[in-house]
Structures are given as C-alpha cells and as structure tokens.
Amino acid sequence: MAERSFKAEVKKLEAGSGETFTGEGILAVTKALLQSGVAYVGGYQGSPISHLMDVFADANELLTSLGVHFEASANEATAAAMMAASVNYPLRGAVAWKSVVGTNVASDALSNLASGGVTGGALIIVGEDYGEGSSIMQERTHAFAMKSQMWLLDPRPNLTSIVGAVEKGFQLSEASNTPVMLELRVRSCHMTGSFVAKDNVRPPMTVGDAAASAVRDTSRIVLPPANFLHEVEKVEKRWPAGVAFVRDQKLNEWFGPSDNEIGIIVQGGLYNNLNRAMELLGLSDAFGDAQLPIYCLNVTYPLIPEEVSEFCQGKRAVLIIEEGQPEFIEHELNTLVRRADLQTRIVGKEMLPRSGEYTAQVIIDGLRKFLGQWAANIELPQAVTSQLPAAVASQIPGRPAGFCTGCPERPIFTSMKLLEREIGATHVSADIGCHLFSILPPFNIGNTTMGYGLGTAGASAFKPKDKRAIAVMGDGGFWHNGLTSGIGNAVFNKDDTVTVIIDNGYSAATGGQDILSSRADNKVRTTRHPIENAVRGIGAKWVKTINRTYDLKQMTSALREAMTSPEKGPKIIVAQSECMLNRQRREKPLVKKAIADGKRVVRERFGVDSDTCTGDHSCIRLSGCPSLSIKPNPDPLRQDPVAHVENSCVGCGLCGEVAHAAVLCPSFYRAQVVSNPTRWERIRKRIALAMIGFLQRRDERSRAAQAF
C-alpha cells in the first residue's frame, strides 16, 4: 500500500491535444513520457521521486493500453540495465530513481550504456536530493554525468519547462546517441501548475516488437576493440552532435535586458529561487521581468561555448549560481571565457557558500555581495542595500528525525537498549531506512552506515572474540541488495554476526511500496515471499522469526539468544510487524466510515496516571514515541513533570511494556474508547460515574472532618 494513491489523478493523463493539464510535477512528467511515445518505463522508488513510481504503478492500465511496458525494478541497477533495450532498437525508454545514491547503485550499467551509446532515446530521471530536506550524503549528479558523458538537463521549475525537457531529452538522446539525465529537485516534483497537453502517442515499436526482430550489433557492446572506439565516438561524434542540438533547439534561455555591465548565469532548477531573491531586492517581479541579464542553463552539461561567449561579451563580471561543490560549471565557464579571449570575470563561490541549498535568502546574500563589488556604476533599488526582515526559517526550532507514533521498529531498539544493560555496548552496523533513526536519541544505537542493504556487509569486518557485532537491515534493503551482499556474503565467509531484518511489510522509508515479502495483495505483482525462506535458501542455518515486534520479552529473548548462542556463523532474526503508518492509512478510513454508519467501534488507548507517575521518565528514555510526552506535575509538592500520553496514541502498547520492563512502573493504564456504545454500555457508564461520584464526595467529607 503506497503512501499515496494517484488512481484518481491518473485519469488526467488521458488529456488530448489542446487541453489544459493541471497537476503535480510528477504527473506532468508521466504525461510528457506518454506524449513522447515512450516504449518502456522502470525504476526504483526514493525521495523525491517515490511518488513518480507510484504514478507509474497506478497508471499501469493506461500504460498497457498504449503498449508501454512498466516495471517496478528490484533496485536502480536493475532499472538501468533495462535501458539495454534502447541500445540496438529505436525504443524510447525512461527509468527513475533517487540520486545520488541510486545513481551509485546503477553506475555499472550506466557506464556500459554511456560507453556503447544508444539508438533509441534513453532518459534517466533522477530525483536530485540535495539541500535542507535531504536525508543522504550531499553530492551531485553533475559529477557522474561528466564522468560518463551523459547530458544533464536541469529544467526551470514550471510544468511547461519540465514537460519540454522530457520531450527534448528524448530528441537530444537520439540526435547524439547518448543517454540523457533529467534531474528533478524536490520542489519540481511536488509543485503544482499547468501546461497545454498533447495526444498520447503509442510507441512506433514496442518492446514486444523489438523482441520479435532481434538486432545484433557488436560495435555497441563494451568489449575490445569496440570499447576503445566508443571513446573516440564520444569525442568526435556524440559531443558535437549534443552541443549542436542544445544550441539549435535553444534549450537554454535568456531573460532580462540584453546589455549590461554585469549578468547572472544560473542552473535551471534554481531559477525560481533566483527570481524570488531578485523580486525581494526590487530587481525583478513575480513574472520574471528581470532588470539584469540572466542566462538560464536548462542544460548544465554540456555547456555551449557560443552561448557562453555571447552572454559574457562586454560584461565586466558574471555571477554563476551553482549549488553544491565542486564548482564544475564555474570551472568550465572560466575555461570557455579564456578560450574566447574575453576579460569577463566569472564570480561564484567567492560570493556564495560552498555547501548547502541555495534558498532565496542565500541567493539574496550572495547577490548583495556581488552587486556591492561589481555594480558601482549601476543605479540599484534601495532594497539591495536596506535590511530585509529576518528569514522565517531561522525562527523555527529544529526538529530531529525520529520514528512515527506506534512504529514497530521502536521496540526492536528498546530491546537492544535493555540487552545492552546485560552484556554491554556492542558495534551496531546500521542501514538505510527508517531504522537509521535509531542512531539519534533516545536510543543512540548505530556506529556506521554504508548504504542501502549493506548493514550486514558493513559488519563483516568485525570479528570480536567475546562479543558479536549486530547488523540492522530493513526488508526493502534486504530485497534491494542485502540478500546477496549481506546474508550471502556472511554465509560464505562464516561471519559470526547477528543480523536483525526488520520486516514491516513494505518498502516503508520510500513511501510504502509493495516488495516481495509484503503480505498485502497486489494485482500486478507477486508478494508473500517470506524473508526467512530466502535466507535459509541461501544457506543460513540459525534463523528466527518474531511475528510481533511489540512483544518486548520475546524480542529481547531472541536478541539475547543470538548474541550468546555457541553456534558459529551468521544469526538472523526476522522481526515482523506491519508499518504503523500504512496500517493507519488502511484502517482509519474504515473506522471513520464505521463510526459514521453508527456501528460500535472499540479503539485502545494508553495513558499515565499523573498521581502515580514518579517523573523519572525512564519510559521516555526507552521509547521516544511522539505521543509519549510530559506535562506539569499536578502535585504542588513535586517539581518533576510527569509522563503523559497524547491523543495521537495509536494503541500499540509499547509504552506500557517499556515501563514495566524498565522499572515495573504501575502508572500506565490501558483504556478502551468506544464509539456508538450499546444501550447497556451507556447504562453501565452512568452507574459507574454515579458510584465514583458518591465515593469521591464521601472521601471529601472524611478529609474535611479530619481537618477539624
């Protein structure tokens, strides 16, 4: 069950020529692919393009009706290898994943693809996850595009530009026999806008047609001597063809006046931020009517020498707004300006920060520095030199990442902390996924993380004599990479490690997509393939499955046994409980409907008796649940705030189990919230309230009598 369904929105994808298409960026990308006659689509989910994969899945019937093959790939390398279909056949294909981590996984296939070149259009859509909202290492796709010579598009964040980039990307790929990368930033994926649609196009050749007419061209295979000729072809044929197409089709754009002593060159994806910064400084308006010349690079690689020379001609200085480092574009601009014998000064990282996202506020600060040094002879608006209001973001308190309310992964790390009291701290090799939040308070568990599905591989070098290393891996990471590189490697090398595979039923961290071990029904995929069967099939002997992670006693016992077992070799614990977010998405609408229909519904909630709570907060230190908070102590003689369960509680019961496991705390209670109670339940409640009231009044009278 994906995080979000697009079944209603995908109907918009049927829009015909001349109709106005309105929707999110990811829907616009899908529509652009269909308008371009794409023959096959694949990919692996990951922010910020997770929902793009969900759109593909929900639009599967439409794709099939057009003869388009869609595949939810096992990982990014699998998706990239699909593009082999475009090597010998005039098939347009597109794949998508999160970059740069996904690009790293796909690098082997991509390098082969870029070396041999393509016949059909090959478009790689990457979610550029750089900046404040990112959860990965801060690297850029640009370096990979340069390394393998694949053209890189970075369109302006509006739907017309994004759709045009998809269509032109296929044409550029075909014109230069080169794969093209299209990077979509977070805001581009989720922005809403409109564009004029075209008719969907059935591919002239489907993947079925290609399979029926096999073509063999050994010059496209990366094998000596062809691989040496590929490099020559890249330089002498593909590069000039790519540059010519970008130049002749005018994929890059110019804004503002043509003449000025200074100018700005900006990556296309940052154009909106630049225009907003200039608007706040009085140098533009909301519609992009800039007062300074702007050269917008919708294609950031390759750069077009003639266009750079034309823009820089006659200018004293040009500011290049290039997010991240190294400053690849800035270096190339300096080279092109020198070759053209221009005296224009290229200004970049000396005015703008070397790292971090270039928000409007960051660009404002850089523009002020640039204009203060290079615009002495230009009359500028007062806003350039006056003080603007403080950015709102700077006034918002930071919020650390953490597990969701009721997350089934939380009790696993609670068990680890409880076991740590017995055997001491041990090395924990973490992995990519929700479970990575365990490295933060209150658990503080996790020493390293090396990549998606690489938790067990990351622990393979640790072979202590008296204490085993623990590896953590999610079910998504397990099927993505961990089965072979983790478990298979541990079995082969007889690694005496403990691996906890968290099986929450979905690829949860990427948006709740189904995977092989999901227990949900899926009409177009096969599920219900147990992880335990897979690890036993690859040779693991010591394997235990815990089918309810919230059972702290069972979870802790399994971990203790794995850490102390005399048996050598890898120990595997498969810890199962459904992702609470997905469970709530499925159950809440049903509960809401049942209540609206007048049916009796019982929901469990947990609470803390404020009069009993001692205020030591050990329950919080071993839980960290967002619904488990604190409130002022009702006892005026005690200063410590007491524990409190917010109404967001989903009734998983962990807080009560933690309290008992930690200090045998009696302050937690379980309650049932009954909607639409029966007549007998209402009568019973009135009787109970009457009795409680009678006893309270009697107690108050007794206290009053004793006071005198």
Side-chain angles (χ1 to χ4, degrees):
M1 180 181 180
E3 182 178 78
R4 178 180 169 190
S5 172
F6 290 87
K7 288 188 180 297
E9 288 94 331
V10 295
K11 295 178 181 177
K12 297 180 180 180
L13 299 175
E14 299 175 8
S17 179
E19 295 183 51
T20 299
F21 184 101
T22 302
E24 287 187 67
I26 49 177
L27 281 167
V29 170
T30 308
K31 176 60 175 168
L33 292 172
L34 298 180
Q35 293 177 176
S36 301
V38 69
Y40 63 93
V41 178
Y44 189 84
Q45 62 274 358
S47 176
I49 57 89
S50 288
H51 288 338
L52 181 58
M53 293 300 298
D54 297 334
V55 171
F56 290 155
D58 287 339
N60 194 54
E61 289 185 12
L62 176 59
L63 296 175
T64 302
S65 69
L66 291 169
V68 180
H69 172 68
F70 166 63
E71 193 165 296
S73 308
N75 56 37
E76 297 85 357
T78 306
M82 282 182 70
M83 307 212 87
S86 293
V87 172
N88 293 324
Y89 306 92
L91 295 170
R92 287 187 169 182
V95 293
W97 55 67
K98 173 190 182 85
S99 197
V100 292
V101 286
T103 304
N104 291 341
V105 174
S107 60
D108 195 3
L110 288 180
S111 293
N112 278 274
L113 185 73
S115 180
V118 294
T119 301
L123 189 66
I124 300 131
I125 303 168
V126 294
E128 191 73 354
D129 197 14
Y130 181 93
E132 293 178 348
S134 174
S135 60
I136 61 168
M137 71 290 290
Q138 295 296 273
E139 295 182 3
R140 297 161 57 197
T141 303
H142 200 104
F144 194 94
M146 294 172 61
K147 184 270 294 183
S148 291
Q149 190 174 305
M150 294 187 291
W151 314 138
L152 181 61
L153 309 185
D154 186 10
R156 283 195 297 131
N158 66 75
L159 298 199
T160 301
S161 294
I162 292 171
V163 170
V166 171
E167 295 173 342
K168 292 296 183 182
F170 280 124
Q171 297 173 24
L172 171 60
S173 177
E174 291 161 346
S176 60
N177 303 115
T178 301
V180 171
M181 304 182 86
L182 170 64
E183 64 177 358
L184 293 178
R185 300 161 190 261
V186 175
R187 291 171 178 81
S188 296
C189 288
H190 300 298
M191 66 179 296
T192 299
S194 61
F195 65 95
V196 178
K198 299 176 184 176
D199 289 334
N200 294 333
V201 177
R202 185 179 180 85
M205 174 184 280
T206 67
V207 290
D209 297 334
S213 304
V215 173
R216 182 170 180 268
D217 183 357
T218 56
S219 67
R220 292 293 186 191
I221 300 175
V222 184
L223 185 71
N227 57 319
F228 304 111
L229 298 176
H230 293 166
E231 190 71 5
V232 176
E233 183 183 329
K234 277 185 176 182
V235 175
E236 296 184 356
K237 178 186 173 184
R238 299 187 213 165
W239 185 286
V243 169
F245 184 90
V246 174
R247 180 193 63 227
D248 297 343
Q249 294 292 320
K250 301 187 184 304
L251 300 189
N252 296 319
E253 299 174 280
W254 283 259
F255 300 97
S258 57
D259 297 323
N260 204 301
E261 292 184 359
I262 58 176
I264 301 172
I265 299 178
V266 62
Q267 291 171 290
L270 295 178
Y271 172 82
N272 286 8
N273 286 6
L274 168 63
N275 191 67
R276 178 58 176 160
M278 294 180 69
E279 182 185 0
L280 291 173
L281 292 175
L283 295 170
S284 185
D285 60 20
F287 302 98
D289 186 14
Q291 297 179 24
L292 295 175
I294 298 174
Y295 177 37
C296 180
L297 296 174
N298 293 316
V299 181
T300 53
Y301 180 78
L303 297 183
I304 313 305
E306 301 93 324
E307 292 182 355
V308 172
S309 298
E310 181 181 347
F311 182 79
C312 294
Q313 185 74 42
K315 291 181 175 59
R316 295 173 56 236
V318 168
L319 176 67
I320 168 62
I321 300 179
E322 177 186 8
E323 192 174 65
Q325 57 86 35
E327 54 270 43
F328 299 115
I329 301 175
E330 183 177 341
H331 290 167
E332 182 66 11
L333 287 173
N334 273 299
T335 299
L336 295 177
V337 166
R338 296 288 81 79
R339 285 177 179 171
D341 197 24
L342 299 175
Q343 302 309 306
T344 306
R345 172 71 182 275
I346 301 298
V347 181
K349 296 300 181 185
E350 59 201 271
M351 299 293 176
L352 291 158
R354 298 195 65 84
S355 63
E357 185 176 359
Y358 281 5
T359 61
Q361 185 60 50
V362 170
I363 295 176
I364 284 174
D365 296 338
L367 272 175
R368 278 179 161 165
K369 294 178 185 177
F370 174 70
L371 295 173
Q373 181 173 340
W374 294 98
N377 301 325
I378 302 174
E379 185 177 348
L380 298 171
Q382 185 178 356
V384 173
T385 55
S386 62
Q387 185 66 34
L388 293 174
V392 175
S394 64
Q395 304 172 34
I396 300 175
R399 185 185 71 175
F403 296 108
C404 301
T405 301
C407 176
E409 301 187 16
R410 182 178 285 107
I412 297 171
F413 298 104
T414 298
S415 296
M416 285 190 186
K417 294 300 288 187
L418 292 172
L419 185 62
E420 194 176 89
R421 295 179 176 183
E422 300 177 22
I423 66 174
T426 188
H427 181 92
V428 176
S429 179
D431 206 327
I432 303 300
C434 301
H435 37 277
L436 196 57
F437 296 145
S438 64
I439 67 171
L440 301 173
F443 299 113
N444 303 302
I445 289 176
N447 301 68
T448 55
T449 179
M450 298 307 296
Y452 197 28
L454 295 175
T456 304
S460 62
F462 294 92
K463 295 181 172 58
K465 295 180 180 179
D466 58 346
K467 195 179 296 180
R468 291 166 177 143
I470 299 177
V472 181
M473 186 190 305
D475 47 1
F478 173 81
W479 293 114
H480 175 276
N481 193 13
L483 175 60
T484 53
S485 64
I487 307 303
N489 181 73
V491 170
F492 182 68
N493 289 293
K494 299 182 180 180
D495 289 337
D496 194 23
T497 53
V498 175
T499 296
V500 179
I501 302 175
I502 300 175
D503 182 6
N504 54 24
Y506 310 90
S507 186
T510 61
Q513 293 81 12
D514 285 336
I515 50 180
L516 278 162
S517 52
S518 294
R519 290 170 289 283
D521 292 325
N522 192 308
K523 293 181 181 179
V524 295
R525 307 279 181 266
T526 66
T527 53
R528 304 180 188 276
H529 300 283
I531 289 176
E532 181 172 342
N533 289 359
V535 297
R536 288 192 183 278
I538 210 169
K541 303 297 183 185
W542 197 106
V543 185
K544 289 187 180 296
T545 295
I546 306 298
N547 55 24
R548 184 175 178 272
T549 62
Y550 299 103
D551 188 336
L552 275 186
K553 184 178 292 186
Q554 186 183 24
M555 194 69 236
T556 307
S557 176
L559 279 168
R560 183 186 297 110
E561 184 181 350
M563 292 295 288
T564 58
S565 170
E567 184 175 336
K568 299 300 181 182
K571 265 68 68 178
I572 317 296
I573 298 174
V574 182
Q576 295 180 334
S577 274
E578 184 182 9
C579 169
M580 185 57 74
L581 272 183
N582 266 34
R583 180 178 172 184
Q584 292 300 313
R585 290 188 190 107
R586 185 182 68 252
E587 293 183 352
K588 274 188 174 181
L590 299 177
V591 170
K592 186 177 180 180
K593 185 178 186 304
I595 294 174
D597 292 343
K599 296 179 181 178
R600 180 179 181 272
V601 175
V602 180
R603 292 167 291 161
E604 282 195 340
R605 290 291 184 272
F606 287 79
V608 177
D609 184 346
S610 299
D611 294 326
T612 308
C613 177
T614 63
D616 70 343
H617 307 151
S618 59
C619 53
I620 296 176
R621 288 193 293 272
L622 286 168
S623 171
C625 179
S627 68
L628 184 58
S629 183
I630 59 173
K631 70 176 184 179
N633 199 313
D635 188 340
L637 300 180
R638 292 191 295 171
Q639 299 297 317
D640 294 328
V642 295
H644 172 67
V645 179
E646 302 284 351
N647 195 43
S648 59
C649 171
V650 295
C652 72
L654 175 64
C655 54
E657 291 209 24
V658 166
H660 287 286
V663 290
L664 297 177
C665 177
S667 61
F668 277 84
Y669 63 84
R670 181 174 63 183
Q672 289 185 330
V673 180
V674 182
S675 300
N676 300 320
T678 64
R679 183 181 179 186
W680 170 240
E681 285 176 322
R682 289 194 294 269
I683 293 172
R684 213 168 43 171
K685 180 182 178 183
R686 284 197 292 268
I687 294 172
L689 289 176
M691 287 295 297
I692 292 171
F694 169 75
L695 294 172
Q696 286 179 332
R697 287 190 297 273
R698 188 181 70 174
D699 185 60
E700 288 174 0
R701 287 195 298 269
S702 176
R703 287 173 183 245
Q706 291 175 2
F708 289 102

